[in-house]
Amino acid sequence: QYRRIPNNNNAVFLTFDDWGDEESIGKILVVLKQHNVSATFFVKTQYISDTGRNLLRAMAEEGHDIGSHTNTHMTVNITSSQVGKLQNDLVKSNHILASVVGNTGRLTNYFRPPTLAINELGMRTIFDSGYLYIVSGDNSTGDYKADSKEELLDILVHGTKMDDGSRIPVQSGSVIVMHMSETAEYTAAALDDYLTYEENLAPGDRNKHDFAKLSDCLEK
């Protein structure tokens, strides 16, 4: 099991989970466009409205990868009695995503487990449902519970803080987990500052990273 994705470009992968509204998602898309960065969006499809379909389409047309985060945020840490329910959820999720962005070339067969929790049976069910990669992450920002932009920016720059005070550094291949929901109110602003910080690092600085969408490496 790999939590980082090997690559030769010192690349870091920005990923966004769940769903949100026009404001919360729009702000993230604007920041990514301003910095010319592509990312991967793992979409929870249950609450995608007509307006949401336009947002989802915009994500794909702006070059970002689209993956599934289930339809209902159903756990994939399942028992045998839940296999059928999970299969139905995954089919529904894929149907909605395909109906909106299936012809853009940006719909992937990547899956992000809700809460990052998964067991062997859940994993087998996901693969049996046609997904090729199950993507976790090595830096989960907890942005949905951040109290300030500064707190979140500190995590993006210095890595996720563990209970003992140690850090998981952002490094080549890191998969950073963020959210596009309304509760992640500081994500877009902190991301803007983080990408600006990275751009201002000197060439050759070991902390300077490229940013890629998952398909840039996984498809190779």
Side-chain angles (χ1 to χ4, degrees):
Q1 181 181 4
Y2 297 95
R3 292 186 178 273
R4 292 188 295 275
I5 299 175
N7 68 89
N8 297 320
N9 299 317
N10 203 29
V12 168
F13 302 88
L14 303 176
T15 67
F16 300 88
D17 289 0
D18 293 343
W19 192 246
D21 59 17
E22 191 168 5
E23 181 178 5
S24 64
I25 296 172
K27 285 180 178 179
I28 291 170
L29 292 177
V30 166
V31 168
L32 293 172
K33 189 171 185 177
Q34 287 176 339
H35 293 273
N36 195 30
V37 166
S38 295
T40 304
F41 290 84
F42 290 101
V43 178
K44 182 181 71 173
T45 54
Q46 183 179 26
Y47 298 115
I48 295 179
S49 61
D50 289 342
T51 301
R53 293 172 73 90
N54 293 334
L55 282 171
L56 180 55
R57 184 81 186 183
M59 287 177 188
E61 290 183 344
E62 291 181 13
H64 305 296
D65 283 344
I66 309 296
S68 174
H69 194 50
T70 73
N71 182 50
T72 63
H73 214 252
M74 178 182 174
T75 180
V76 292
N77 188 19
I78 59 170
T79 64
S80 57
S81 65
Q82 296 173 300
V83 169
K85 182 179 180 182
L86 178 57
Q87 288 173 331
N88 290 336
D89 188 286
L90 296 175
V91 167
K92 180 68 171 178
S93 172
N94 186 68
H95 175 75
I96 294 171
L97 294 176
S99 71
V100 180
V101 299
N103 63 350
T104 64
R106 296 269 47 95
L107 180 58
T108 71
N109 51 8
Y110 310 157
F111 180 85
R112 165 68 54 75
T115 72
L116 303 182
I118 194 169
N119 61 5
E120 182 180 354
L121 182 56
M123 191 177 296
R124 289 206 308 267
T125 302
I126 292 163
F127 288 138
D128 288 345
S129 298
Y131 291 94
L132 183 61
Y133 290 102
I134 299 171
V135 182
S136 182
D138 68 323
N139 265 265
S140 187
T141 61
D143 54 348
Y144 55 89
K145 59 182 179 181
D147 292 325
S148 67
K149 180 187 73 169
E150 290 72 23
E151 176 188 337
L152 183 52
L153 179 61
D154 177 70
I155 293 170
L156 290 169
V157 172
H158 298 109
T160 300
K161 185 180 291 186
M162 306 303 289
D163 290 340
D164 63 2
S166 64
R167 297 275 190 160
I168 302 174
V170 174
Q171 55 195 290
S172 179
S174 282
V175 179
I176 301 177
V177 181
M178 291 175 281
H179 296 79
M180 51 182 142
S181 53
E182 299 94 324
T183 54
E185 60 180 307
Y186 302 108
T187 298
L191 179 64
D192 190 13
D193 285 357
Y194 172 55
L195 294 175
T196 300
Y197 160 80
E198 284 274 357
E199 290 162 357
N200 289 332
L201 290 174
D205 190 310
R206 65 183 181 86
N207 293 314
K208 189 177 183 69
H209 302 100
D210 285 338
F211 294 91
K213 55 187 182 295
L214 290 173
S215 62
D216 291 334
C217 287
L218 294 183
E219 297 302 313
K220 298 176 182 177

